[in-house]
Amino acid sequence: MTDGLSEKQQGILQFLEDFIAEHDYPPSIRDIQHGCDISSTSVVDYNLKRLEERGFIRRDREVSRAIELLTPHGERRRRTVPVPLLGKIAAGSPIPTPPDTLTPGAYDETIELTEEQTGGRTNIFALRVEGTSMIDALINDGDIVVLEATHSCDDGEMVAVWLRDENETTLKKFFHEGERIRLQPMNATMGPIYTRAANVEVQGRVVTAIRSL
Amino acid sequence: MTDGLSEKQQGILQFLEDFIAEHDYPPSIRDIQHGCDISSTSVVDYNLKRLEERGFIRRDREVSRAIELLTPHGERRRRTVPVPLLGKIAAGSPIPTPPDTLTPGAYDETIELTEEQTGGRTNIFALRVEGTSMIDALINDGDIVVLEATHSCDDGEMVAVWLRDENETTLKKFFHEGERIRLQPMNATMGPIYTRAANVEVQGRVVTAIRSL
DNA sequence: TTTCGAACAGAACATATGTGCCGGGCAGGC
DNA sequence: GCCTGCCCGGCACATATGTTCTGTTCGAAA
C-alpha cells in the first residue's frame, strides 16, 4: 500500500483529492500545510517535488495553486461535461420532446458524462428511455441513451426521429425504403412504422447507452 | 443564445471552460484578461461579478484562482473518479482475472466515471465483457460493467464470482440452492453451473453497465 | 441638454503564495 | 568520530494575484 510513498506524501495526496473535490480548485502550499499539519511550507514543497517526480501530480512553476492530480497511470484526470437530459422518450407510445434547440436553459436537467462517453462530441444530449420497444437492441426501460445531434443518418442506425404530423419523437432504427422511411422498433413483438420522408426529421444518433442497476 | 449575457461575458465563460480543460486549475484574473483581450483587470472583475450574480460561476474571495464553473443549473460540476479496469471477463468461456487486490498499480488501465455512475461508492472496479453469455440481461459483447467489490450478495444479483477449483472468474446471476450454488448465465442457450459454496468467492456486484455504439 | 447608470481604463495597493536559503536532527557507512 | 544524504523547521523575499479607487465613455431616459 505504501507504493514507496512516505506517510506524509500519502496524506498530501489524500488531502489534494479531498480539497479539489470540495472546492473544485487546487489548494495552495499553505492550504496543504495546515490541512496536513505540516510545520513548514518548505516541507510541503519538498514533498510535492517528490510526488511530481513519481508522476502522481503535475505542477506549473510560479503559478499559484497550479497542481494537477494525475491518475494512477500518470494520465490527466478529466472533468465532466454537462449533457442536457431533454426528457423521457417512450418508444412504445411516443411522447413529444423538444426539438434540437440546444440553447442553455431550454431543458431543466443535466447529467454529467466523461469525454470518454461523449467521444469528445459537443452536440450531445441525453434521453431517458421509457418502455421496452428497444429491448432487442439491449436498451431497457429506465436506461439513459446519449445521442449526437444530427439531421442525417445511415440505414440501420439507431436514431431519435421527430414525426411532424404526429408531433412526437421516437427512438427507432432507421431505413430508407424507396419513397418511404421504415422506422423499426427493436422489439420482436412490435411492428415497424412506415411514413413519408417529409414527415420524419432525424434529431440524433444514439452513441452510448447507460444502465444503472 | 445570449442568455442575457454580453458577448464579453460569454467569451469569459468559454475561456474558463477551455482553460480549465487544458490546465485543470482555474485561471487568474490576468490570465482571463489576456486570454480574452481585455484591457484591464477591473473589467474582468466586473464581469466575473456579473457571472457570479447570475449563477454561472462561484468565487471564493481573497483566494487566487478560486473560480468554480457551474452547470447551466447552478450545480457544481463534478470531477471524475478513476476506476480500475481489471481486464476482460468472458462469461461464455471464463478467463481468469486477478482477485480483488485493489492496490494501485496492480492493474494497467483505468476508466473515468462520474460519481453519478459510481453512486459515490469507492470500492469500485470495471470489467470489459467478452462474449454473449449475459445477453438476456441486456449486456453484450464489448460492454463495460462496473462492479462494487463485495464478498456477499443476495439471490438473483448479478455478480462476478471466482471459482477456486477452476481458478477463473465469471459473470453470472447468483442463487443459493441448498448446499449448492447455482450460477445462471443470462443466455437462454446456456445452462447453469452448479458448484459447492466453498468453491465460489463473490468478487463484486454489477452496479452499472455502459455500452458505446 | 442634462443626468444617470452600465461598462470600461489604468494604476496603485494589500495580500496570497511559491521559492530559496540556512540550519538542525538523524540514520547509515567508513 | 566524521561525513553524507534525506527530511524537516523557520523565515525572508520576490512576485503572482485579487481588490479598490478614480476617471472616462457612451447611450438611454428625463
Side-chain angles (χ1 to χ4, degrees):
Chain A
M1 191 63 106
T2 60
D3 283 24
L5 291 184
S6 74
E7 197 172 317
K8 190 164 299 192
Q9 283 158 7
Q10 288 182 50
I12 290 177
L13 224 41
Q14 185 62 50
F15 179 77
L16 282 173
E17 186 115 22
D18 296 344
F19 190 99
I20 292 176
E22 182 179 348
H23 297 91
D24 232 36
Y25 52 78
S28 70
I29 298 255
R30 283 166 182 81
D31 287 334
I32 300 173
Q33 180 190 355
H34 298 130
C36 296
D37 282 318
I38 294 173
S39 47
S40 171
T41 57
S42 64
V43 178
V44 179
D45 188 61
Y46 173 82
N47 284 287
L48 286 181
K49 280 175 180 156
R50 291 303 124 84
L51 287 171
E52 190 177 17
E53 283 172 6
R54 291 159 179 272
F56 287 91
I57 61 173
R58 201 167 73 77
R59 293 212 293 166
D60 279 4
R61 301 320 197 77
E62 317 256 320
V63 180
S64 327
R65 298 172 181 270
I67 301 176
E68 287 182 58
L69 253 183
L70 303 179
T71 69
H73 297 293
E75 299 144 21
R76 307 185 51 191
R77 296 213 184 174
R78 302 198 172 279
R79 309 190 102 250
T80 58
V81 291
V83 175
L85 184 58
L86 292 184
K88 298 174 179 175
I89 185 165
S93 55
I95 62 173
T97 61
D100 56 345
T101 55
L102 284 180
T103 66
Y107 45 91
D108 51 76
E109 203 177 346
T110 57
I111 60 175
E112 301 278 331
L113 293 180
T114 65
E115 289 181 0
E116 283 173 351
Q117 287 158 32
T118 62
R121 287 173 275 241
T122 56
N123 49 338
I124 288 280
F125 61 98
L127 296 170
R128 187 178 295 278
V129 174
E130 280 196 338
T132 58
S133 75
M134 304 300 287
I135 197 74
D136 292 345
L138 306 180
I139 294 176
N140 199 5
D141 184 63
D143 290 4
I144 286 179
V145 289
V146 180
L147 298 96
E148 173 185 20
T150 177
H151 290 306
S152 63
C153 70
D154 296 328
D155 277 10
E157 288 190 318
M158 204 180 318
V159 293
V161 296
W162 179 40
L163 302 174
R164 297 182 199 276
D165 293 347
E166 295 83 351
N167 194 30
E168 13 178 76
T169 297
T170 182
L171 201 59
K172 296 282 187 298
K173 281 210 177 181
F174 182 99
F175 295 94
H176 291 273
E177 292 200 346
E179 297 290 296
R180 297 185 309 177
I181 302 294
R182 175 164 59 94
L183 300 175
Q184 184 72 48
M186 288 294 91
N187 185 323
T189 69
M190 306 170 73
I193 296 176
Y194 295 95
T195 187
R196 299 169 293 120
N199 190 38
V200 313
E201 180 178 313
V202 174
Q203 294 192 311
R205 174 188 13 243
V206 175
V207 295
T208 299
I210 299 170
R211 172 167 51 252
S212 292
L213 277 69
Chain B
M1 189 64 105
T2 61
D3 282 24
L5 291 184
S6 74
E7 196 172 316
K8 191 164 298 191
Q9 284 158 7
Q10 288 183 51
I12 291 176
L13 224 42
Q14 185 61 51
F15 178 77
L16 283 173
E17 185 113 23
D18 296 343
F19 189 98
I20 293 177
E22 182 178 346
H23 297 90
D24 234 37
Y25 52 79
S28 70
I29 298 259
R30 283 168 181 79
D31 287 334
I32 301 173
Q33 178 189 355
H34 298 131
C36 296
D37 283 318
I38 293 173
S39 50
S40 172
T41 58
S42 65
V43 178
V44 178
D45 188 61
Y46 172 81
N47 284 288
L48 286 180
K49 279 176 180 154
R50 291 306 123 82
L51 287 171
E52 190 176 19
E53 283 171 6
R54 291 158 180 272
F56 287 89
I57 62 173
R58 201 167 73 79
R59 293 210 294 166
D60 279 6
R61 300 321 197 77
E62 317 257 320
V63 180
S64 323
R65 296 170 181 272
I67 302 176
E68 287 182 57
L69 254 183
L70 303 179
T71 70
H73 298 293
E75 301 143 20
R76 306 186 51 193
R77 295 214 184 172
R78 301 194 175 280
R79 307 190 104 252
T80 58
V81 292
V83 175
L85 183 59
L86 292 183
K88 299 174 179 177
I89 185 165
S93 57
I95 63 174
T97 62
D100 55 346
T101 54
L102 285 181
T103 66
Y107 45 91
D108 52 74
E109 204 176 346
T110 57
I111 60 175
E112 301 279 331
L113 293 180
T114 65
E115 289 180 0
E116 283 173 351
Q117 287 160 30
T118 62
R121 288 173 275 242
T122 56
N123 51 339
I124 288 281
F125 63 97
L127 297 170
R128 186 178 295 278
V129 174
E130 280 196 339
T132 58
S133 74
M134 304 301 285
I135 197 75
D136 292 345
L138 306 181
I139 293 175
N140 199 4
D141 183 64
D143 290 3
I144 287 180
V145 288
V146 182
L147 298 96
E148 173 184 21
T150 178
H151 289 306
S152 62
C153 68
D154 295 329
D155 277 9
E157 287 190 320
M158 205 181 317
V159 293
V161 295
W162 179 39
L163 302 174
R164 297 182 200 278
D165 294 345
E166 294 85 349
N167 193 31
E168 8 177 81
T169 298
T170 182
L171 200 59
K172 296 282 187 300
K173 282 211 176 183
F174 183 99
F175 296 93
H176 291 273
E177 291 201 345
E179 299 288 296
R180 298 187 308 177
I181 302 293
R182 175 164 59 94
L183 299 175
Q184 183 72 47
M186 290 292 92
N187 183 324
T189 69
M190 306 171 71
I193 295 176
Y194 295 95
T195 187
R196 301 169 293 117
N199 189 37
V200 313
E201 180 178 312
V202 174
Q203 295 193 309
R205 175 190 10 246
V206 176
V207 296
T208 299
I210 299 170
R211 173 167 49 250
S212 292
L213 277 69

